Amino acid sequence: MGTGSSGSAARRSPRTGPTVEVLRVGHRPGRDPRLSTHVALVARAFGARRLVLHPPDPGVERTVRQVAERWGGRFEVVGAPSWTAVVRAARGPVVHLTMYGLPFERYVPRLRRASEVLLVVGGAKVPARLYGEATYNLAVGDQPHSEVAAVAVALRELLGPVPASAFDGARLRIRPRARGKSVVAREEAR
Ligand code: SAM
């Protein structure tokens, strides 16, 4: 993982907090590409450095690469044949997000002080071993919802408000409008 809160190009400067990576375990190629792509897009937009996808899915990696080419930053999706290896290589707390865990908000102050955090989300079925491998099993509320929502809320809590500004190297950026759409290309955006 990265070098701490000075952060990557994907994290825009006003935000502080740990460098965060997201591991999505239990992706089902052929069934889950849309959901896993949404996990990746939320991770990118809300300030994570990358998504590690288990098992790998080159289609999701390609889709997210195309988004990053247009909208900037260095966020990437990398495939992992073994989720255990990713968890064991983590250089900071491993936070498994699960409805069965302890309240996430209680752990936010200590997680914000870490230099690196690995957020782990599951899918339809979570390997039982993950509960033992994680540093913390934490719940965003105690109701079942979604890996996309869990990642969004956790990143918002760890990294603060999501700034409305383009990522470094963006070819496109949005001009906020009360109505309609305004997207400008890089040359015009400066
Ligand atoms: N029974 C699962 C669980 O352990 O949370 C719910 C499965 S849900 C379809 C898929 C993923 O969404 C879970 O593996 C978990 O990462 C995330 N998730 C769902 N509800 C959550 C909650 N209340 N708090 C944290 N994560 C949640």
Side-chain angles (χ1 to χ4, degrees):
M1 286 176 66
T3 52
S5 60
S6 58
S8 65
R11 171 104 47 76
R12 289 149 292 175
S13 51
R15 305 184 84 192
T16 58
T19 296
V20 183
E21 290 192 358
V22 178
L23 167 64
R24 198 269 211 261
V25 173
H27 168 75
R28 296 166 300 180
R31 287 188 69 175
D32 288 341
R34 190 159 188 273
L35 192 54
S36 293
T37 299
H38 283 194
V39 172
L41 294 180
V42 164
R44 172 184 174 275
F46 285 48
R49 198 171 80 120
R50 66 178 185 164
L51 173 75
V52 183
L53 188 59
H54 166 81
D57 186 334
V60 174
E61 293 169 32
R62 190 166 48 249
T63 301
V64 175
R65 195 180 314 121
Q66 287 164 353
V67 171
E69 279 166 12
R70 272 178 287 145
W71 295 96
R74 275 188 265 157
F75 184 88
E76 59 178 357
V77 176
V78 294
S82 160
W83 66 263
T84 318
V86 178
V87 164
R88 293 187 181 164
R91 302 216 309 245
V94 175
V95 179
H96 171 215
L97 296 171
T98 167
M99 64 187 282
Y100 303 110
L102 298 171
F104 182 82
E105 67 272 14
R106 199 186 288 168
Y107 289 80
V108 168
R110 82 175 68 166
L111 293 174
R112 284 186 70 105
R113 287 195 298 272
S115 64
E116 300 185 12
V117 171
L118 178 66
L119 292 179
V120 187
V121 289
K125 203 156 191 276
V126 179
R129 271 193 304 123
L130 180 52
Y131 291 85
E133 296 274 350
T135 316
Y136 306 109
N137 294 287
L138 301 182
V140 178
D142 62 358
Q143 300 299 310
H145 46 77
S146 142
E147 48 272 54
V148 179
V151 167
V153 172
L155 286 172
R156 173 64 175 74
E157 291 291 327
L158 293 177
L159 301 179
V162 183
S165 59
F167 284 78
D168 291 349
R171 297 212 306 252
L172 298 175
R173 65 169 297 163
I174 288 174
R175 279 201 191 115
R177 289 285 179 266
R179 291 191 180 77
K181 302 181 198 169
S182 176
V183 179
V184 288
R186 191 197 214 143
E187 294 70 27
E188 285 179 72
R190 287 187 173 144

